[in-house]
Amino acid sequence: MVRMLTPLILLLLAVHPGTPQHSPGTTHPPTTETVSLSSASSPSPSTTTAPSPSSTPAGSTPSVLSSSPSPLRPADATPTASVLTLTPTTPTLRLLSSSPAPNSTLLRSERPKSPTVASAVVVDEVEGAVWPVKREAVVEGDLVLGGLMMVHEREDSITCGPIMPQGGVQALEAMLYTVDRVNEDRDFLPGFTLGAYVLDDCDKDTYGLEMAVDFIKGSISNIDDAEFHCNKTQVRKVISGVVGAASSVTSIQVANLLRLFKIPQVSFFSTSPELSNKQRFEYFTRTIPSDHYQVKAMVDIVGRMGWKYISILYEESNYGIKAFEELEDLLATKNICIAIKEKLVKDSGVAGEHAYDSIVAKLLTKPRARGAIIFGSDQEVAGVMRAVRRANATENFSWIGSDGWSARNLVSDGNEVEVEGTLSVQPQANPVRGFEEYFLSLTVENNKRNPWFAEFWEAHFQCHYPNSSRTPYNQNFPGTCTGQETLTKENMAFEGQLQFVSDAVMAFAHALRDMHRDVCHGRHGLCDAMKPTKGTELLRYLRKVEFEGLSGDNFRFDPQGDGPARYNIIHFKQVSQGVFRWVRVGEYWEGELRLNMSEIQFKLGHPQPPESVCSLECELGQAKKYLEGESCCWHCFNCTQYQIRHPTDETQCLLCPQGTVPDQRHTKCEPIPEEYLRADSGWAIGAMAFSATGIVVTALVAGVFLRHHDTPVVRASGRELSYILLLGIFLCYAMTFILVLKPSDVVCGLQRFGAGFSFTVVYAALLTKTNRISRIFNAGKRTAKRPSFISPRSQLIICTGLTGFQVLINAVWMVVSPPSAVHHYPTRDDNLLVCSSSVNASYMISFSYPIVLIVICTLYAVLTRKIPEAFNESKYIGFTMYTTCVIWLAFVPIYFSTANNIAIRITSMSVTISMSATVTVACLFTPKLYIILVRPERNVRQSMMPVRYSAVRGPRHQSISGPTGVTSSVVGAGNLLGVLPPNHGMESGSHSDAGHSTNAAMLPRHEGP
């Protein structure tokens, strides 16, 4: 590839003979173009281009934090007869005189730098000169490093602008100073020295590329001596590596050239992320971090400020465009929207003030985007600030600045109010030890190796140095320099990023030392393997260097060949009324932002950052409806009463689950407190008091019955069934205490089983009793045979069987549907802790069987309503059934209408069960208790028979006559029920085994006197 391109490059050099054939350190012989110079000429201000303020190109780093102003150049000049003409075909600025002066000095100049650049020709009556004049700074050495510095500023109308003191001359001197320090240590580079060959690129990529051609001449001439040497007498030294350029766009152009000849390049100010692509720029490295990290730091600052809607201004260059692309991606990941995005003219020329006014007008169309990122150079940003002042929009913006313009006097001087509050990112750097003293000691006389130092001296002290060349920018200096002027810390502002220049030279020095150690095996001086050095090998050593630089910081390249990502966060604030200063408020260290928010104030007395959002955040309980095509602009709408805003989707409202309601702020769903009948509530206490009274009454009745166990009343009522009946009544009362317990699976099981079982016990006993009475009287009418299953044991078995069926029903029910406590939500505001059976009315399963028993009992009560009064307990049973039905018919609507009031519902059920038990006690046992306790004289067998049917033996053995059949039935029933004595009315025949019954057919007939 190199052999194919070499003839083309040689042809290019032949077309541009201004590039001299020389070795580093030689002087220029006279060229074909000779002009005369005179110190008496001065161009007219109306025809010459005014010098622009010092600026640093995009992709370069900012100056040191300093309040020292840059030297000012006069804006006006005394009019002369000189004429400025633009000649597109002559891209050089030439000072021509109408006739040469007698004592004119002959200067050689270069051919036009680029046929595409229009140049200004200044016609002077005294003398003429070509601008710019190509110069080089040379330090002799065995291995030479090329240097490409922006000694002059970029100018739109001509090739080179005014001298650049900080990022240009100081950077050049930092490189030369570091070379000196390396060579002073004779043990560092054993037996060989480091040289330098430094050129000026004027901050233009095309001009810088033309200058970089000098760096490859040695490589071309040494490829094949026989074929490509045009001048056999010249021997060029091969450039081992190149330090520079400063501008990213220039570095990209130069890197594309140097990679063809495998010459490593280390830049100190180029920060474009594109240069990290080692597939394209494999021989490029840099000591300054990539803008990729600067962009991340800026996005993190935006996030820390709480901004969600910002504008971006970026310069029209590789530096600005690549940064904007990364900004877009990173801001999108943080859900930060871009309101306005505008380019600042850079590569295509110099924008006029109207262009900046248009940009500011566009920014003002989005008034809610208060925050703005400016990624550009100082010259362009200064234009923006002036436009902000003209638009009276000082209070409308807060800036996040890039390293290309922060801490630059060009931006802040005169625009302090507009720049106030700016937060900016600067690569972290420390002063190069000893450099300030070295630089302040320099003069034109003791610094001959820097050919631009006289020009710098003139610009700094605003005077014309004797015998110096005329430039378009030193014509109006009023006096002559005496040489006694001195540089001091008071009149000199130092570039704050010179560490990166020094580190670039030190990286080459360490790489060459390591390469010499391995290749030359400790030999003193250069061995043949390093004459010249091989770029591929040197690059490998270069990427692995680790050292402590002249600044005291440790340095090493990251895997992409970039410098360590360390930044200072600086802030332009008004420290007191009318006094502004850049101050350090934080740092960005390897991906972590550390920011001292207490030191930040965007306006004097206003520490809080301004609000920069398209739409204010919705209030609590509101969701967002985004505007079409906007991701940061929305309307807010209220969520309904039982909704909260969705925790992950802010555009939706989420309905709270059953049993929960939104909190007051509608941010989360809170559970509704459980509601159940508590034992200490008034409802529960009333129900338990009623049941406790019933239990006491039941116990008293049972006690009376036990005490009068063998009396006719107790015997006639069926003692065993009466005790079972009392047990069932007791269970009914006890159910109240189970119903008021806090629902749980066990409690619900007890409630489900006990409610139906207690009723079953009561009505099974009543059914057995009414069935026995009915069968006895029915049998007495039809036959003299004793009915079956009327003995006490039989009655107990029947009652147990009837009750056991209810137990079976409950067992199957619990297996099929196990009891459980559940939360019931009859309305959105209720959370009832209840048993599952009460929710779906499955309690009816428990009550269905007792209802059947009640119906049958009621039927028996109706059928036996006409039997003799002495045996008509069915009348009381019937009354009990009728009353029970009325109670339960009243309970059903109450129960189902109080589903939302658990206290009333449970209380009504417990009271209904207790009332049913009370009715049973009152109707069935009160008449018996009355006889036992109040009328004990009636508690005899004879009193159990009606008067008209009783047969009382007397002295005359008379018997009351009556219908034979009825008499026989009554007497037989009395015996069967245990009311009459076992041998009452018997003269013959058999008698009941138990003494409780006898056949009605065997009753005595009526006898005479």
Side-chain angles (χ1 to χ4, degrees):
M1 173 65 73
V2 172
R3 287 184 174 274
M4 294 174 62
L5 291 174
T6 299
L8 180 60
I9 296 174
L10 289 175
L11 179 60
L12 175 65
L13 297 178
V15 174
H16 295 276
T19 304
Q21 302 280 342
H22 72 285
S23 62
T26 61
T27 58
H28 292 274
T31 63
T32 57
E33 295 187 13
T34 305
V35 295
S36 61
L37 284 177
S38 172
S39 60
S41 63
S42 66
S44 169
S46 62
T47 58
T48 58
T49 303
S52 62
S54 298
S55 63
T56 300
S60 66
T61 59
S63 65
V64 73
L65 302 181
S66 173
S67 58
S68 301
S70 299
L72 300 176
R73 301 177 191 71
D76 301 323
T78 305
T80 67
S82 301
V83 179
L84 176 66
T85 60
L86 291 177
T87 56
T89 59
T90 308
T92 58
L93 176 63
R94 191 172 305 213
L95 294 171
L96 301 175
S97 63
S98 57
S99 60
N103 299 325
S104 62
T105 302
L106 296 180
L107 292 183
R108 51 188 309 282
S109 68
E110 293 219 342
R111 301 285 295 173
K113 299 292 183 270
S114 173
T116 61
V117 180
S119 301
V121 177
V122 178
V123 181
D124 193 280
E125 294 180 356
V126 181
E127 59 186 5
V130 174
W131 176 260
V133 177
K134 179 180 177 183
R135 298 184 177 98
E136 60 271 331
V138 178
V139 175
E140 294 291 346
D142 299 307
L143 295 177
V144 180
L145 295 179
L148 200 57
M149 302 289 173
M150 49 180 183
V151 180
H152 291 88
E153 294 180 17
R154 177 178 57 88
E155 183 60 55
D156 188 46
S157 59
I158 57 179
T159 302
C160 293
I163 197 79
M164 183 181 291
Q166 294 175 330
V169 175
Q170 289 182 8
L172 165 62
E173 290 296 341
M175 178 179 177
L176 300 180
Y177 172 76
T178 306
V179 170
D180 292 342
R181 293 292 300 273
V182 170
N183 290 331
E184 287 173 4
D185 188 354
R186 297 184 179 276
D187 295 329
F188 187 79
L189 298 178
F192 64 97
T193 58
L194 194 62
Y197 177 61
V198 186
L199 299 173
D200 176 21
D201 64 13
C202 293
D203 193 19
K204 283 194 173 180
D205 56 341
T206 54
Y207 186 68
L209 179 62
E210 186 175 343
M211 294 297 101
V213 171
D214 272 13
F215 299 146
I216 65 171
K217 288 178 180 178
S219 299
I220 294 174
S221 62
N222 293 327
I223 292 174
D224 191 334
D225 292 343
E227 184 177 356
F228 295 117
H229 271 180
C230 300
N231 188 344
K232 296 293 184 179
T233 62
Q234 296 290 336
V235 177
R236 294 191 182 91
K237 286 188 177 181
V238 176
I239 299 298
S240 299
V242 174
V243 175
S247 168
S248 292
V249 64
T250 304
S251 288
I252 289 173
Q253 297 281 13
V254 173
N256 286 325
L257 175 64
L258 296 181
R259 67 184 289 269
L260 298 176
F261 299 90
K262 300 181 179 179
I263 299 176
Q265 175 187 1
V266 179
S267 175
F268 45 87
F269 287 165
S270 299
T271 57
S272 172
E274 185 179 3
L275 290 165
S276 296
N277 184 354
K278 292 303 174 259
Q279 291 183 343
R280 289 184 57 195
F281 308 104
E282 63 267 37
Y283 284 87
F284 178 87
T285 53
R286 52 188 164 190
T287 53
I288 196 168
S290 166
D291 280 337
H292 169 76
Y293 302 103
Q294 182 179 187
V295 167
K296 290 181 66 175
M298 297 173 82
V299 172
D300 286 351
I301 293 174
V302 170
R304 188 69 62 87
M305 296 301 106
W307 295 345
K308 294 293 185 181
Y309 195 57
I310 64 172
S311 299
I312 298 179
L313 304 181
Y314 61 100
E315 71 174 31
E316 181 198 31
S317 68
N318 182 275
Y319 168 71
I321 293 173
K322 292 299 180 182
F324 171 72
E325 291 173 355
E326 293 215 11
L327 273 172
E328 268 194 316
D329 295 338
L330 282 177
L331 290 173
T333 62
K334 302 286 186 179
N335 294 322
I336 300 172
C337 300
I338 301 174
I340 299 291
K341 44 190 175 184
E342 284 294 321
K343 288 183 182 179
L344 303 175
V345 175
K346 173 76 172 182
D347 288 349
S348 60
V350 178
E353 295 298 320
H354 67 280
Y356 296 116
D357 291 336
S358 176
I359 290 173
V360 172
K362 289 181 180 178
L363 293 179
L364 291 174
T365 61
K366 301 288 186 179
R368 297 204 62 85
R370 299 283 302 278
I373 293 176
I374 305 186
F375 219 99
S377 301
D378 47 8
Q379 186 173 344
E380 289 72 34
V381 177
V384 173
M385 297 305 167
R386 291 193 298 270
V388 170
R389 184 171 64 252
R390 288 192 296 270
N392 196 26
T394 302
E395 302 293 330
N396 292 65
F397 305 109
S398 294
W399 313 104
I400 303 295
S402 67
D403 61 342
W405 65 273
S406 58
R408 295 301 174 90
N409 294 334
L410 177 61
V411 179
S412 58
D413 287 353
N415 303 314
E416 289 85 357
V417 178
E418 288 72 34
V419 181
E420 183 183 6
T422 296
L423 284 166
S424 187
V425 181
Q426 275 193 329
Q428 196 174 87
N430 291 316
V432 177
R433 289 193 293 255
F435 177 75
E436 285 191 15
E437 293 77 7
Y438 160 81
F439 191 84
L440 295 176
S441 68
L442 295 177
T443 65
V444 177
E445 298 303 321
N446 67 13
N447 191 24
K448 294 294 185 181
R449 66 181 180 181
N450 184 346
W452 301 283
F453 201 74
E455 191 179 342
F456 159 74
W457 196 273
E458 292 176 330
H460 187 70
F461 292 108
Q462 297 289 290
C463 60
H464 181 70
Y465 203 86
N467 300 321
S468 67
S469 302
R470 287 291 182 180
T471 72
Y473 308 103
N474 64 3
Q475 303 298 309
N476 299 319
F477 295 154
T480 302
C481 300
T482 64
Q484 301 302 314
E485 299 87 2
T486 57
L487 299 173
T488 65
K489 291 184 179 180
E490 288 72 24
N491 65 18
M492 189 72 243
F494 281 93
E495 169 65 48
Q497 310 296 322
L498 297 179
Q499 171 187 340
F500 300 117
V501 181
S502 178
D503 285 345
V505 177
M506 292 297 293
F508 270 119
H510 279 80
L512 290 169
R513 184 194 65 175
D514 297 342
M515 184 178 181
H516 179 271
R517 182 188 62 236
D518 295 343
V519 174
C520 298
H521 307 291
R523 173 184 170 183
H524 193 75
L526 293 177
C527 59
D528 292 338
M530 294 186 66
K531 295 180 180 179
T533 58
K534 295 179 175 59
T536 305
E537 287 294 311
L538 179 58
L539 179 65
R540 184 166 59 86
Y541 285 99
L542 186 65
R543 294 284 175 82
K544 295 189 296 183
V545 296
E546 291 189 28
F547 59 88
E548 181 181 314
L550 298 183
S551 64
D553 286 344
N554 293 321
F555 179 84
R556 62 183 175 85
F557 292 107
D558 69 9
Q560 285 74 40
D562 301 330
R566 299 179 295 211
Y567 293 91
N568 285 326
I569 310 301
I570 58 175
H571 179 47
F572 191 70
K573 63 187 292 188
Q574 191 173 179
V575 294
S576 61
Q577 190 66 40
V579 179
F580 298 84
R581 188 175 300 145
W582 286 99
V583 296
R584 183 177 181 271
V585 295
E587 64 180 0
Y588 185 81
W589 188 274
E590 296 182 352
E592 181 183 357
L593 176 65
R594 303 166 186 168
L595 204 59
N596 185 1
M597 295 297 295
S598 62
E599 288 292 326
I600 297 175
Q601 65 171 27
F602 287 85
K603 298 295 178 185
L604 186 63
H606 294 84
Q608 294 299 322
E611 199 170 56
S612 186
V613 294
C614 179
S615 299
L616 295 176
E617 284 296 324
C618 294
E619 296 180 0
L620 298 175
Q622 292 183 330
K624 298 178 180 178
K625 182 179 181 181
Y626 285 92
L627 301 181
E628 187 175 356
E630 294 282 354
S631 59
C632 289
C633 304
W634 57 79
H635 295 306
C636 299
F637 63 92
N638 294 321
C639 296
T640 60
Q641 179 182 358
Y642 298 106
Q643 290 180 329
I644 61 170
R645 189 167 72 178
H646 199 287
T648 58
D649 185 358
E650 56 189 7
T651 65
Q652 294 184 9
C653 292
L654 182 67
L655 184 66
C656 286
Q658 291 279 4
T660 62
V661 292
D663 61 356
Q664 290 184 348
R665 300 183 300 173
H666 281 252
T667 57
K668 61 180 180 179
C669 296
E670 294 182 339
I672 302 172
E674 291 180 337
E675 183 180 348
Y676 57 90
L677 183 62
R678 302 179 185 275
D680 57 352
S681 67
W683 295 97
I685 291 173
M688 288 188 293
F690 183 61
S691 296
T693 303
I695 290 174
V696 171
V697 171
T698 303
L700 291 176
V701 172
V704 171
F705 266 56
L706 288 173
R707 184 176 181 81
H708 301 83
H709 179 70
D710 291 325
T711 61
V713 172
V714 175
R715 290 166 62 90
S717 64
R719 290 174 298 185
E720 294 79 6
L721 290 178
S722 295
Y723 294 143
I724 292 176
L725 186 60
L726 289 173
L727 174 62
I729 293 171
F730 170 79
L731 292 177
C732 288
Y733 285 125
M735 276 303 300
T736 297
F737 297 95
I738 296 177
L739 289 172
V740 299
L741 292 177
K742 180 179 180 180
S744 65
D745 292 350
V746 174
V747 171
C748 290
L750 292 175
Q751 289 180 4
R752 183 190 289 186
F753 178 83
F757 181 76
S758 59
F759 275 115
T760 300
V761 172
V762 171
Y763 297 116
L766 289 177
L767 177 59
T768 303
K769 180 177 290 192
T770 55
N771 173 264
R772 178 171 176 254
I773 294 173
S774 176
R775 287 190 297 117
I776 287 174
F777 278 93
N778 288 337
K781 293 177 182 180
R782 296 191 306 268
T783 178
K785 185 179 179 181
R786 175 175 175 267
S788 302
F789 307 113
I790 59 174
S791 66
R793 177 179 296 179
S794 300
Q795 299 302 300
L796 291 175
I797 293 173
I798 292 172
C799 184
T800 303
L802 293 174
T803 306
F805 189 72
Q806 174 69 16
V807 174
L808 179 62
I809 292 174
N810 282 331
V812 174
W813 184 20
M814 290 186 181
V815 171
V816 174
S817 176
S820 61
V822 297
H823 290 94
H824 178 48
Y825 316 108
T827 68
R828 285 294 323 203
D829 296 315
D830 291 324
N831 181 18
L832 307 182
L833 180 61
V834 296
C835 295
S836 57
S837 301
S838 63
V839 176
N840 51 21
S842 59
Y843 267 131
M844 294 307 298
I845 298 176
S846 179
F847 289 127
S848 58
Y849 182 63
I851 289 174
V852 173
L853 297 180
I854 290 173
V855 171
I856 297 175
C857 283
T858 305
L859 181 60
Y860 271 116
V862 172
L863 295 176
T864 59
R865 68 186 183 281
K866 294 182 180 181
I867 63 174
E869 293 182 3
F871 307 101
N872 198 5
E873 193 176 19
S874 297
K875 178 176 64 176
Y876 301 111
I877 294 174
F879 184 74
T880 300
M881 294 300 100
Y882 306 148
T883 307
T884 299
C885 290
V886 172
I887 292 172
W888 281 95
L889 287 175
F891 162 74
V892 169
I894 294 175
Y895 182 82
F896 286 103
S897 63
T898 57
N900 298 346
N901 194 321
I902 193 67
I904 296 178
R905 194 174 204 187
I906 297 299
T907 303
S908 63
M909 175 180 283
S910 62
V911 169
T912 300
I913 294 175
S914 298
M915 287 184 66
S916 298
T918 301
V919 167
T920 304
V921 170
C923 293
L924 295 182
F925 291 95
T926 300
K928 299 178 176 60
L929 292 176
Y930 175 77
I931 294 174
I932 295 172
L933 299 177
V934 180
R935 304 292 298 273
E937 69 277 6
R938 294 183 57 183
N939 190 8
V940 294
R941 292 184 177 89
Q942 286 81 3
S943 65
M944 296 296 98
M945 295 293 294
V947 176
R948 62 181 182 273
Y949 297 125
S950 63
V952 182
R953 295 182 180 272
R956 299 177 61 180
H957 300 279
Q958 291 180 344
S959 175
I960 300 174
S961 62
T964 303
V966 175
T967 301
S968 301
S969 298
V970 171
V971 174
N975 283 295
L976 291 172
L977 294 173
V979 176
L980 299 180
N983 57 354
H984 177 73
M986 290 185 184
E987 290 188 354
S988 64
S990 63
H991 150 302
S992 164
D993 292 338
H996 292 289
S997 60
T998 186
N999 198 310
M1002 300 176 63
L1003 290 174
R1005 298 181 182 272
H1006 175 73
E1007 296 181 356

